[in-house]
Amino acid sequence: MPELIKQDEVVYQVLDLSVNLRRRGQERVILESLSFDVLKKECLSIVGPSGTGKTTLLRALAGLVPYSGSVKFHGETLNGPASDVVLVFQDYVNALLRWRTVQKNVALGIEGRIPKEQCQERIDEAIETVGLQNYRDSYPWELSGGMQQRVQIARALAMKPKVLLFDEPFGSLDAMTREGLQDELLRVRSVFQTTCVFITHDIDEAVYLGDRLMLLSGSPASLTFELDIPLGASRNQILTKESGEFLGYRHQVYEQMRKAHGGSQATG
Amino acid sequence: MTLQTANTHSVMIRKSRHKSNDGKGVAPLVGLLPLAALLLIWQVFGNPHSVFFPQPNRWFAAIDSLRQQGMLWSSILATASTFIQSMIVATLIGTALGMALGSIQWGGRALDPLLDFLRNLPAAALVPAAAIVLGTNTKMALVIVVFSSVWPILLNTRSAILNLSPVLSSSITNLGLGGFRRSSVMIGSALPGILLGVRVAAPLALIVTLLAEFITNLPGVGALILSAQQNFNSAEVYALLLVAGVLALVVNSIVSAIEASVLHRHGPTTS
């Protein structure tokens, strides 16, 4: 399989990635020798129980934590914060600037870097993509949680990144808003064709959004399972989720998760 | 019933945050009514020949005579000028140092004993030392006032920076903001803390301004109070006390107005 993939189709090439974090003077291995590729235009779901180090993995891909092993982004070794890679955090309250309007928040990453007119065009495009055109001049604290998360996504889109890294972006939203935003994300991806890495502990969400899925588990965490999800680009909350294929993938992931997690539960 | 009132109260607090000019100017004046009543009682029942407790009408006469001598406004202006200049300098220095200390992980806490020592040095004790080094002049008064009012701003800024969410700093880094942009986003987010420091520092700065004038006899309201006391002019002492009180009230309402106008963008939960 890997021989068939052309080099320029690979966005991330991760080989033997390990991350140690020092907390209160104690060094702890969070991730242990992960190897995987992220391909152009795909959405890679990474699923795992909370506390396994999913966020640390995402931060490593963004170049925000020191790692050992090799992470190549478009063929170049990643040292320090990656440009063209934007993180979308679960904690939208702290990720947004509460004293800036929606428009100014979306502008944060691009203002002063590109010509003013172009900047405004990109802001408008991003805001319209997430459907907040009537809230340009509102402050984040005047909006609902789902809308604030849309602002964060718009801010990421305005950067026109090569990769979007989602860190459980819908984890703190209610089920209905979450489903709405999942479909929004599918739609945005079909327009922008951006490569995505999507982290979640919600298996349904991981299968629904991913073209490919990886299971992260254990302590220190390693990749224990990988699955292709060829459900196509147009997915539907009702029809896709009740299709036999979807349920089959879901079943496999649950089984693997139980296998990986059951072992650790027995010891703990 | 109690629940009802509690709810109305919280709604009113929210409203006043958003519409800050909604009858807010009237409230402090209404709140001053007890003081006015007290002065009125003093006037009516006071002894017209008392040396230590002159009736308020004699205070106003004393103020008027100061005004006619051309001393009143020039002194208020001198005090206000020292105060405003020191507040500006203290805010700039306090914010800059507070940001620097808040950003250095190891230095933030390690310097605590030094900061505690410096901020607890009594301003009155510093005046003689400053007078030796700088001489008895306005510059020395400025240094003393800045030195004693910079601490609340510095410490509040530092803790505001230290308490910024790691998610915020990750997202600033992730968006590639560095240098000036990074600092301006940090200042914006720390602004409620910085302004809290300014609000604590402002009355302190006014006190130390008056104190410096007392001790050094530099022109200002403090010096007027001192000379009135030395001349046993008790009506003038009370009158100037009232002037100092009004100055403090004005300072407080200006600082509150600045705070409200800046922080309305931060929304209801930060204070």
Side-chain angles (χ1 to χ4, degrees):
Chain A
M1 184 77 179
E3 291 83 46
L4 297 175
I5 299 164
K6 286 187 213 146
Q7 235 359 271
D8 60 330
E9 294 285 299
V10 181
V11 177
Y12 274 111
Q13 200 170 21
V14 180
L15 258 178
D16 209 23
L17 165 72
S18 299
V19 175
N20 298 359
L21 286 186
R22 184 175 276 279
R23 203 160 281 160
R24 277 185 237 115
Q26 262 195 331
E27 188 127 326
R28 222 161 65 85
V29 186
I30 308 288
L31 302 174
E32 197 168 43
S33 63
L34 311 185
S35 297
F36 61 94
D37 289 345
V38 179
L39 307 180
K40 209 171 181 178
K41 292 184 187 177
E42 79 168 338
C43 180
L44 173 65
S45 290
I46 298 174
V47 65
S50 53
T52 15
K54 302 190 293 292
T55 298
T56 306
L57 172 56
L58 214 58
R59 290 172 63 83
L61 293 181
L64 295 177
V65 286
Y67 61 85
S68 58
S70 133
V71 175
K72 281 188 176 164
F73 178 58
H74 285 291
E76 282 177 35
T77 303
L78 193 63
N79 302 309
S83 50
D84 291 327
V85 175
V86 179
L87 269 162
V88 176
F89 298 89
Q90 176 177 13
D91 181 5
Y92 47 79
V93 174
N94 282 310
L96 297 173
L97 306 180
R98 53 183 298 122
W99 41 282
R100 281 191 176 214
T101 59
V102 167
Q103 192 164 198
K104 290 258 181 173
N105 261 297
V106 174
L108 187 63
I110 52 172
E111 61 188 357
R113 287 180 175 166
I114 55 174
K116 229 172 185 174
E117 279 171 35
Q118 204 186 333
C119 180
Q120 191 59 46
E121 260 172 45
R122 281 220 218 161
I123 294 167
D124 291 342
E125 187 190 13
I127 290 179
E128 271 158 42
T129 307
V130 299
L132 286 177
Q133 49 273 43
N134 294 332
Y135 298 92
R136 277 169 213 278
D137 299 316
S138 303
Y139 291 99
W141 44 270
E142 297 175 313
L143 306 177
S144 68
M147 284 158 107
Q148 290 186 51
Q149 195 53 286
R150 279 165 205 258
V151 178
Q152 209 195 154
I153 293 171
R155 180 175 82 182
L157 292 175
M159 299 278 289
K160 292 211 183 294
K162 294 209 169 89
V163 182
L164 279 170
L165 304 174
F166 290 96
D167 186 5
E168 295 200 35
F170 311 142
S172 57
L173 301 171
D174 62 276
M176 212 186 258
T177 310
R178 191 184 311 157
E179 287 179 0
L181 280 176
Q182 287 167 358
D183 287 339
E184 194 105 343
L185 185 61
L186 287 175
R187 198 174 52 75
V188 167
R189 280 200 55 226
S190 72
V191 176
F192 284 80
Q193 301 278 319
T194 314
T195 309
C196 294
V197 178
F198 193 98
I199 272 176
T200 178
H201 59 250
D202 179 341
I203 293 174
D204 286 41
E205 183 172 73
V207 174
Y208 185 65
L209 292 175
D211 298 316
R212 206 151 58 88
L213 181 148
M214 293 191 318
L215 181 63
L216 193 67
S217 59
S219 175
S222 53
L223 293 169
T224 48
F225 176 65
E226 195 185 329
L227 177 71
D228 276 317
I229 308 171
L231 286 171
S234 65
R235 305 182 184 191
N236 178 300
Q237 289 288 355
I238 303 168
L239 296 177
T240 306
K241 283 193 175 169
E242 62 189 24
S243 71
E245 289 160 286
F246 179 89
L247 293 173
Y249 298 135
R250 186 176 174 274
H251 183 104
Q252 284 185 57
V253 180
Y254 263 106
E255 210 157 70
Q256 291 296 331
M257 178 96 115
R258 193 162 290 181
K259 216 195 265 173
H261 206 53
S264 71
Q265 251 176 359
T267 55
Chain B
M1 186 64 188
T2 344
L3 192 68
Q4 184 81 25
T5 22
N7 278 340
T8 335
H9 189 59
S10 73
V11 167
M12 275 168 61
I13 288 170
R14 273 200 190 161
K15 267 193 180 159
S16 72
R17 253 202 108 72
H18 288 279
K19 298 174 190 166
S20 48
N21 47 0
D22 215 38
K24 235 192 161 182
V26 187
L29 294 181
V30 174
L32 284 175
L33 277 178
L35 184 64
L38 190 75
L39 292 183
L40 196 69
I41 292 168
W42 189 335
Q43 178 65 42
V44 174
F45 296 102
N47 175 0
H49 306 292
S50 169
V51 176
F52 299 113
F53 301 105
Q55 286 169 307
N57 70 329
R58 285 166 58 198
W59 310 2
F60 294 108
I63 290 186
D64 200 50
S65 99
L66 275 178
R67 193 179 58 82
Q68 277 165 12
Q69 293 165 40
M71 300 284 282
L72 182 67
W73 290 112
S74 65
S75 299
I76 290 180
L77 207 70
T79 301
S81 143
T82 307
F83 169 78
I84 291 170
Q85 289 181 58
S86 335
M87 277 308 290
I88 292 171
V89 175
T91 305
L92 293 178
I93 294 179
T95 307
L97 287 181
M99 283 200 52
L101 288 178
S103 310
I104 304 168
Q105 302 292 331
W106 54 267
R109 297 287 170 214
L111 291 173
D112 272 358
L114 177 65
L115 292 175
D116 283 336
F117 172 72
L118 289 175
R119 96 189 146 100
N120 287 318
L121 276 181
L126 284 169
V127 174
I132 289 174
V133 178
L134 299 164
T136 314
N137 51 34
T138 347
K139 198 169 85 186
M140 174 273 219
L142 277 179
V143 169
I144 292 293
V145 180
V146 167
F147 185 84
S148 45
S149 56
V150 78
W151 304 110
I153 304 176
L154 190 157
L155 293 171
N156 273 294
T157 304
R158 185 185 69 161
S159 75
I161 295 286
L162 283 174
N163 289 333
L164 286 182
S165 160
V167 167
L168 178 72
S169 82
S170 295
S171 71
I172 299 173
T173 309
N174 178 238
L175 292 176
L177 305 187
F180 171 72
R181 284 173 180 285
R182 189 181 182 89
S183 313
S184 72
V185 169
M186 304 265 274
I187 289 181
S189 301
L191 206 54
I194 296 172
L195 286 175
L196 182 67
V198 171
R199 190 161 59 166
V200 175
L204 203 65
L206 189 61
I207 292 169
V208 178
T209 304
L210 292 174
L211 186 76
E213 290 167 357
F214 279 144
I215 298 177
T216 61
N217 223 355
L218 285 166
V221 177
L224 282 187
I225 296 178
L226 187 72
S227 80
Q229 180 250 313
Q230 283 167 348
N231 295 328
F232 294 103
N233 188 343
S234 57
E236 201 172 294
V237 170
Y238 282 104
L240 290 166
L241 202 61
L242 195 66
V243 169
V246 170
L247 272 182
L249 202 63
V250 168
V251 164
N252 187 50
S253 53
I254 290 174
V255 172
S256 297
I258 292 174
E259 206 180 7
S261 80
V262 173
L263 291 190
H264 81 275
R265 292 186 295 164
H266 281 251
T269 51
T270 47
S271 60

